[in-house]
Amino acid sequence: MEKGKGLARRWAVELHDASSSSSAVPDPPGFARSAPDADDAAGARQRKDSETAWKAQKAWEVAQAPFKNLMMMGFMMWMAGSTVHLFSIGITFSALWQPLSALRSVGKVFEPFKDPRVDTVAPKLLFIALNLAAMGLGVWKLNTLGLLPTNPSDWVSSLAPAREVEYAGGGIPLN
Amino acid sequence: MAAPPRCSLLILLAGLLVVASLSTLAAAIYEDQVGLADWHQKYIGKVKQAVYHSQKSGRRRVVVLTEENVISSLDLRSGDIFWRHVIDKNDPLDQLSLSLGKYVLSLSSGGTILRAWNLPDGQMIWETKLQTFTSSNPQLHVLSNNKVAKDNLVLVSAGRWMYAVSSIDGSISWEKEFSLDGLEIKQVLQSPENDIVYAIGIAGSSKLALYHLSAKTGEILKDIQESLPGGLCGETVLGSDNLLVALNKARSSLFLIDFKGDRISYNKVHISDLVQDLSGTFKLQTVSNGVIALRTSSTISLLKLKGTDGLEVVQRFDQPAAVSDALTISEKDDAFAVMQHVGSQIEFIVKFTNDVSSEIIREKVNIDQHRGNVEKVFLNSYIRTDKSHGFRALVVMEDHSLLLIQQGEVVWSREDGLASIVDVTTSELPVEKDGVSVADVEHNLFEWLKGHMLKLKGTLMLANADEVAAIQALRLKSSEKNKMTRDHNGFRKLLIVLTKAGKVMALHTGDGRIIWSNLLPSFRGSRFGGMPSALRIYQWQVPHHSIMRENPSVLVVGKSGAESSAPGVFSILDSYSGEELNSMRLDHSVVQIIPLMLKDLSEQRLHLIVDSNSNAHLYPKSPDSLNVFLHEMSNLYFYSVDIQTNVIRGYSLHKSCDLIGDEYCFSMKELWSIIFPSDSERIATTETRKMNEVVHTQAKIIGDHDVMYKYLSKNLVFVATVSPKAAGNIGSALPEEASLVAYLIDAVTGRILHRVTHHGAQGPVHAVLSENWVVYHYFNLRAHRFEMAVIEIYDQSRADNKDVMKLIVGKHNLSAPITSFSRPEVAVKSQSYFFAHSVKAMSVTQTAKGITSKQLLIGTIGDQVLALDKRYLDPRRSANPTQQEKEEGIIPLTDSLPIIPQSFVTHSHQVEALQGIVSIPAKLESTTLVFTYGVDLFYTQLAPSRTYDSLTDEFSYALLLITIVVLVAAIIFTWIWSEKKELRDKWR
């Protein structure tokens, strides 16, 4: 193995304490350490407002994201057709799985926008609603594929014949 | 198809073996699969005439004529069939003879068809139709050593006609119609100089006529007639060259008639003077020159003629016996044989006619007790190495089997009773006992290993031709399928067959060998007199659970006489051993047998026997069965189809009977009747569902997820009527006169569920009814083709059950018991198709659970069995099915049903004179066992939807194993490789 390069590396230890330099070196002229603190009253509120607005906007954006997904899914499903084969089954199950996993992680998705002043309930609700719609689409697709027991035929296909009360025997007499 | 023990064994030892295979999905079988699951047996039936080849030809063969209308040449050494012709039942064979040592002549259809067959290979040489009225007793006489004509003439006499036919080409040399009214020629014989033929006939009841004819031209040289006092019954035998023995009308005395003189002279002898204790009917038999035999039901007397003066009894055999015809040994000497029962053995006695009292041979032969009495003997001689005469004899036994006896031994035997099977049932084999391991079957480990090595070679294409043959032989005699125990898949069963002779035989489904046979004493005419006949065989007791220790048993029902009022006979047999457990003579007749679904505590099936006085009798006669029966009696009905009067009647049962004190006897009260107008309709056939048929579901799902509810009723009866004018053969009626009406009738209420008329159609009608459909086959006179029609019947009263919620919750009436009195509304769909074959028998496949799709089994006129998918007979077929219907598997409509050569179940075999097809479900749902019988027997396994629930025999376990091994090796290898690679990367 080629370890030559590693061996050739120089190493050095800096014994001088870098942290102590900050206090040792004086501040440049005109620099006041307390300057940002003076700004507090107006600037901070403004910044916080914009952040809240940004968070709210982002939350709405995230909440609306499944809609695009929904459209794409719809297109894919239309492409897949209504016969049962590998492609249509795959599409259908991913259409069912994606909203489900999204719903499970709905808290995590809106984590970054958590803020006492940001209202995430409405975006969450929209998000859930859209995902439910996507899932509904998946279920509808499942049904069109004939994989849901929604027809009477699915419930009676193996229903045993009913018992007969009477029995009649006979026929042409034996000769 | 592999049974679990073998399956697991194979997997355990799979490292050592590779099974020669290619997995198949084809419906038909490959050439090398023939005989793996199927077997075919050839029979000829009960021999009624046998003619040996002359010794000069050097071939040890015999030509026989049988009651099953078969003419066949058998090898005398082994009993094998050289060639065989099964003649149609409409053309019954009457007489058989040899001519010129190279032709076999057969006379059939009451003396109207004469055929010559080539002796060595059985090819037909010529056929001549003779214009006579059919006679019940035509005579065939081959003129021997004829110097008048260049070729041998064959004389055929039937009624008052006589023909001389050249045996070379079948051309008619002369014909003669005798002018005497009502004349029937009884005997034809030749003068010693060969140029005069004597024809002796009887006209009316008492007139005897004798004609001397020129053999060359047929000219009547002399014509003598004589009236005999007291009349004649028509039975005559030839006593000697110049003496005729005729029985008088009262059957009490014999006329000895000398016909060689210028006029007929006769003498009358009372039989009672000869044979004292004569009782019952008797028969005369010519034995040879000067000796006749008088046969009663139990004894035989040999009578020697002393000219016209009288007769003397030479010898009397009091044991059941049979006498052969004479066999010419030398110029002046004839021999004949007598077979007599002595205890459990039979005695073979050969005598010369010159000295009847002495015996040349008296040999004792051991014979299987289940063969009954000797019925016929055909004697043959051969020259021993020391130039003396040896004798052998073909013996026809009471069970219709044929034996060759030579030097005190049975050389070979043929079970020809199997050519006339009356009814079939099945029985399971015993359960395998613990401790019987697979190793016992594969007796020898070395042999076993060797077999598998061979198969391995076969798979790897390394086997040479010899080894390939050895592999095939190994597969054919696989011991697995012939074991005498029940198997997991239910392929091994006993086929219990009842033959016309009253013999019950059990055949193993593996290879068709006879496991046991029993000639039932109660069906032997020789024991009880009369003409007993076996009618049906049923399963009597099929033990389950608690009484598993008991063996199953079968019930044989018969009649003790020919007439319909003759008392019935019952016999119960053990299915495993064939022992008769019980036999009884019933005190009533048997007109109908109704096996009921009910069972008593000992699991005996209840049977109702209807007698000719319209009383029903319950069996078994035990208080327990009576209890079970009375509980269900109000729901039991009976219907009878009377073809003579064109009426179907339905009855209910009532607990009272004309026979006072017999609580097992029930009377019947007529509930309904359907009277068909006899001027326009005549009942042709009726059909019901098989009692043991299992239906899986009551719903039929159609393409758009819709449901149709089948009308499933065991009481559905299909009746087909044809117009009386069209009841005859095809072509006897014009299309305008012919019509066929199909009815679906409920047998409980007599309600006609459906009626359809086919104009211009006529019989013969064959039908099969299964589940909710009926398929029937008839001839369409307008299209000049056979047709098959299907009717499917659906229950409309259940059609509303379409609410999913109700179905989920279970709030529906679909499982409620059905009664015919609720008059359910029905809907019917039907369709008809052309079909190229005419049909002899029709049946349908039965499976264990009824899930597998059905195939119709059609016995064609060519004696083959065609498996036709039911999907072809689907009334929902249309010319352009929609996408949805295509998905459902509906075949586009065509005007005729396809006959695919690969779907012949019998592949290259023919089941001669095919009579019936039985389908028996195996335990494996996909597979059904099919047994076809006629003169021949054929058995096979069928999988109508392919073997979807098991691996086929052809499945390559080796390939599976190799794949697994390769996969595991690949996993291990890639794992090691990836580990190393990872380590390398870590060091980088």
Side-chain angles (χ1 to χ4, degrees), chain B residues 366-583:
Chain B
N366 280 317
I367 267 186
D368 181 6
Q369 283 308 295
H370 293 300
R371 296 202 185 276
N373 291 352
V374 175
E375 293 220 326
K376 280 197 174 79
V377 185
F378 301 99
L379 185 68
N380 182 225
S381 71
Y382 58 95
I383 313 282
R384 293 214 190 93
T385 40
D386 59 351
K387 301 278 179 200
S388 64
H389 283 283
F391 292 94
R392 60 182 160 221
L394 274 181
V395 183
V396 182
M397 305 296 290
E398 201 176 351
D399 67 341
H400 299 186
S401 62
L402 184 69
L403 317 175
L404 183 78
I405 286 173
Q406 189 172 335
Q407 290 172 336
E409 268 182 74
V410 177
V411 183
W412 51 258
S413 62
R414 291 182 59 87
E415 282 291 350
D416 278 307
L418 286 172
S420 49
I421 289 177
V422 177
D423 200 9
V424 184
T425 186
T426 54
S427 164
E428 294 287 346
L429 282 160
V431 185
E432 192 157 3
K433 298 277 189 301
D434 294 337
V436 181
S437 71
V438 186
D440 286 345
V441 183
E442 316 270 8
H443 349 254
N444 191 329
L445 187 68
F446 179 68
E447 285 288 309
W448 185 79
L449 268 178
K450 214 167 80 180
H452 283 300
M453 281 311 288
L454 263 178
K455 284 182 179 172
L456 180 72
K457 271 185 162 179
T459 314
L460 301 175
M461 312 264 179
L462 295 172
N464 58 27
D466 286 349
E467 283 168 336
V468 168
I471 294 168
Q472 187 66 10
L474 262 178
R475 292 168 73 188
L476 286 180
K477 68 171 175 95
S478 147
S479 52
E480 183 72 23
K481 66 171 190 176
N482 298 337
K483 273 163 73 178
M484 273 302 294
T485 51
R486 212 174 283 188
D487 66 333
H488 185 72
N489 293 335
F491 293 162
R492 292 198 295 263
K493 280 185 200 300
L494 286 180
L495 295 166
I496 302 180
V497 300
L498 175 67
T499 68
K500 214 188 259 174
K503 195 175 189 179
V504 183
M505 283 187 256
L507 308 175
H508 195 286
T509 53
D511 53 358
R513 69 181 189 277
I514 296 169
I515 303 297
W516 53 260
S517 64
N518 193 347
L519 181 64
L520 299 177
S522 37
F523 293 102
R524 285 173 60 180
S526 61
R527 277 274 173 100
F528 295 105
M531 278 169 59
S533 57
L535 294 172
R536 291 280 186 277
I537 185 162
Y538 296 99
Q539 287 179 343
W540 177 251
Q541 192 179 19
V542 185
H544 293 94
H545 327 300
S546 55
I547 42 164
M548 199 72 182
R549 296 268 165 263
E550 271 180 58
N551 290 356
S553 50
V554 290
L555 165 74
V556 181
V557 186
K559 285 192 304 187
S560 60
E563 65 280 8
S564 66
S565 60
V569 181
F570 252 44
S571 182
I572 295 162
L573 302 170
D574 185 317
S575 299
Y576 291 166
S577 65
E579 273 173 64
E580 192 166 36
L581 303 174
N582 190 5
S583 101

Side-chain angles (χ1 to χ4, degrees), chain B residues 963-981:
Chain B
T963 315
I964 292 169
V965 168
V966 166
L967 277 175
V968 168
I971 288 168
I972 293 170
F973 175 74
T974 48
W975 179 68
I976 292 171
W977 192 56
S978 73
E979 282 287 290
K980 277 192 175 165
K981 193 165 191 286

